[in-house]
Amino acid sequence: MTEQKQPPRGLLVVYTGHGKGKTTAALGMVFRALGRGLRVTVVQFIKGKWKTGERLFAETLPQLRFHVMGLGFTWESDDLARDKAAARAAWETAREEIASGERDLVVLDELTYTFHYDFLPLEEVLEALRTRPAHVHVVITGRNAPEALLEMADLVSEMVAVKHPFTAGVKAQIGVDF
Amino acid sequence: MTEQKQPPRGLLVVYTGHGKGKTTAALGMVFRALGRGLRVTVVQFIKGKWKTGERLFAETLPQLRFHVMGLGFTWESDDLARDKAAARAAWETAREEIASGERDLVVLDELTYTFHYDFLPLEEVLEALRTRPAHVHVVITGRNAPEALLEMADLVSEMVAVKHPFTAGVKAQIGVDF
């Protein structure tokens, strides 16, 4: 691994797959980027109801913009129109942060679910990514990333669940799983 | 996903595979755990030479114990005895942190390479994991995790490189890759 000599080029990174560690890996990139003094924004598209560990820690970091804009998981919802409006609002925030060029890293956490439920038109998101300022890194997480997004991405890591404690009857743990 | 009612049980988590995102996912768990006020220790077994982004950020977090104890990658080394001694020192630190019960989460970053190069006896590490205090979460990262470690783990995620920018001629980026 050699350090860059070329001007920084913003990467499009996708963490997908059914294994654990997608949001977690994105948070790790935030951890690393903050150490370099990069300007970071996180937009969470689904999470919203819970006080997550990441949200609590983000509140201690004034240099980090952390927008929790989801309303919880769709399969628990009784108002899809409201969920769709929340996805739209989250995307408008994200799009402005990306297009402004004032952020170095923008994380779109669980964005892929908004395509799956037809809350957002994929083409609109791809266009915003395609035309973003050259230095802006974007990280997208979520299962079932659309093929066109994978094609555009510079880096795709698929998390494969080799073993998962929930299937073994171990419940979600505070501070570890959320 | 339901919240725990049972007493917290320390999980053994392994992030392995050839894709990117293993250390990154571990850092994300640290991010989340700090938000919950958990007591966290990170021991890096290989990284050491560089000032990484995670190290720089960790220096701003007095509540986090972050031990960088590696000497760089073995394939760049000209003194394997020195590397082996460094691995031993890192493990002694890690073992004490785990056994003390005073930490809630201990990350052993890139530990698996120490087995690959016979720097540490696997059985000694497994024994320390097996006999650790019940509440202590341990996260281990690195390629080629040994089978016996995977068997003991509660959660294994394998990072599969679907697409990797270095293979496409894009160089490692400060704040994103390290």
Side-chain angles (χ1 to χ4, degrees), chain A:
Chain A
M1 191 160 79
T2 53
E3 286 199 26
Q4 61 192 32
K5 293 288 190 304
Q6 69 201 13
R9 176 188 146 194
L11 298 177
L12 176 60
V13 177
V14 176
Y15 288 117
T16 190
H18 283 62
K20 285 178 65 67
K22 299 182 289 295
T23 294
T24 316
L27 294 173
M29 292 189 72
V30 170
F31 192 105
R32 189 171 272 158
L34 291 175
R36 296 291 183 182
L38 300 191
R39 299 160 300 178
V40 182
T41 293
V42 176
V43 179
Q44 293 198 308
F45 280 79
I46 301 293
K47 294 192 186 82
K49 286 197 281 194
W50 319 316
K51 274 273 182 183
T52 59
E54 60 262 35
R55 181 173 176 176
L56 292 166
F57 188 53
E59 286 170 3
T60 71
L61 303 170
Q63 73 274 42
L64 173 62
R65 290 191 194 157
F66 199 89
H67 304 282
V68 182
M69 302 192 72
L71 298 170
F73 286 108
T74 304
W75 54 86
E76 295 172 350
S77 174
D78 51 9
D79 187 346
L80 286 183
R82 203 186 51 149
D83 292 350
K84 186 170 182 173
R88 167 58 56 185
W91 169 240
E92 294 300 335
T93 296
R95 182 161 64 176
E96 281 167 29
E97 296 280 86
I98 293 167
S100 74
E102 289 171 12
R103 314 305 287 170
D104 302 299
L105 171 62
V106 179
V107 175
L108 310 177
D109 186 38
E110 302 185 308
L111 175 68
T112 60
Y113 301 100
T114 67
F115 306 129
H116 187 71
Y117 290 103
D118 272 333
F119 288 165
L120 292 175
L122 175 60
E123 192 41 56
E124 180 183 336
V125 172
L126 293 179
E127 181 62 16
L129 295 174
R130 205 178 281 124
T131 58
R132 76 188 191 275
H135 69 280
V136 178
H137 303 290
V138 176
V139 178
I140 293 172
T141 76
R143 294 183 181 197
N144 303 315
E147 196 54 40
L149 180 63
L150 297 180
E151 274 167 32
M152 186 184 286
D154 299 292
L155 186 160
V156 177
S157 261
E158 184 183 353
M159 274 62 170
V160 176
V162 178
K163 218 177 193 184
H164 194 304
F166 302 160
T167 59
V170 179
K171 292 188 181 159
Q173 306 265 328
I174 286 184
V176 177
D177 291 303
F178 57 97

Side-chain angles (χ1 to χ4, degrees), chain B residues 116-127:
Chain B
H116 187 70
Y117 290 104
D118 272 334
F119 288 166
L120 292 175
L122 175 61
E123 192 41 57
E124 180 183 336
V125 172
L126 294 179
E127 181 62 16

Side-chain angles (χ1 to χ4, degrees), chain B residues 135-162:
Chain B
H135 69 281
V136 179
H137 303 291
V138 175
V139 178
I140 293 172
T141 77
R143 295 182 180 196
N144 302 317
E147 196 55 39
L149 180 62
L150 298 180
E151 273 166 33
M152 186 184 287
D154 300 291
L155 187 159
V156 177
S157 261
E158 184 183 353
M159 274 59 170
V160 176
V162 179

Side-chain angles (χ1 to χ4, degrees), chain B residues 46-57:
Chain B
I46 300 292
K47 295 194 186 79
K49 286 196 283 194
W50 321 315
K51 273 274 181 183
T52 59
E54 60 263 33
R55 181 173 175 175
L56 291 166
F57 188 53

Side-chain angles (χ1 to χ4, degrees), chain B:
Chain B
M1 189 159 82
T2 52
E3 286 198 28
Q4 61 191 37
K5 294 284 191 307
Q6 68 202 17
R9 175 187 145 194
L11 297 177
L12 176 60
V13 177
V14 176
Y15 289 116
T16 190
H18 283 62
K20 285 177 65 66
K22 298 182 289 293
T23 294
T24 315
L27 294 173
M29 292 189 71
V30 171
F31 192 104
R32 187 170 272 157
L34 291 175
R36 297 289 182 184
L38 300 191
R39 301 159 299 177
V40 182
T41 293
V42 177
V43 179
Q44 293 198 309
F45 279 79
I46 300 292
K47 295 194 186 79
K49 286 196 283 194
W50 321 315
K51 273 274 181 183
T52 59
E54 60 263 33
R55 181 173 175 175
L56 291 166
F57 188 53
E59 286 170 3
T60 72
L61 302 170
Q63 74 274 43
L64 173 63
R65 290 192 193 156
F66 198 89
H67 303 283
V68 182
M69 303 193 70
L71 298 170
F73 286 109
T74 304
W75 54 88
E76 294 172 349
S77 173
D78 51 9
D79 188 346
L80 287 182
R82 202 186 51 151
D83 292 350
K84 186 170 183 172
R88 167 57 56 186
W91 169 241
E92 293 301 335
T93 296
R95 183 163 60 177
E96 281 166 31
E97 296 281 86
I98 292 168
S100 75
E102 289 171 11
R103 315 305 288 170
D104 301 300
L105 171 62
V106 179
V107 175
L108 310 178
D109 187 38
E110 301 184 309
L111 174 70
T112 60
Y113 301 100
T114 66
F115 306 129
H116 187 70
Y117 290 104
D118 272 334
F119 288 166
L120 292 175
L122 175 61
E123 192 41 57
E124 180 183 336
V125 172
L126 294 179
E127 181 62 16
L129 295 174
R130 204 177 284 124
T131 58
R132 75 188 192 276
H135 69 281
V136 179
H137 303 291
V138 175
V139 178
I140 293 172
T141 77
R143 295 182 180 196
N144 302 317
E147 196 55 39
L149 180 62
L150 298 180
E151 273 166 33
M152 186 184 287
D154 300 291
L155 187 159
V156 177
S157 261
E158 184 183 353
M159 274 59 170
V160 176
V162 179
K163 219 178 192 184
H164 195 304
F166 303 160
T167 60
V170 178
K171 293 187 181 160
Q173 306 264 329
I174 286 182
V176 177
D177 291 302
F178 57 97

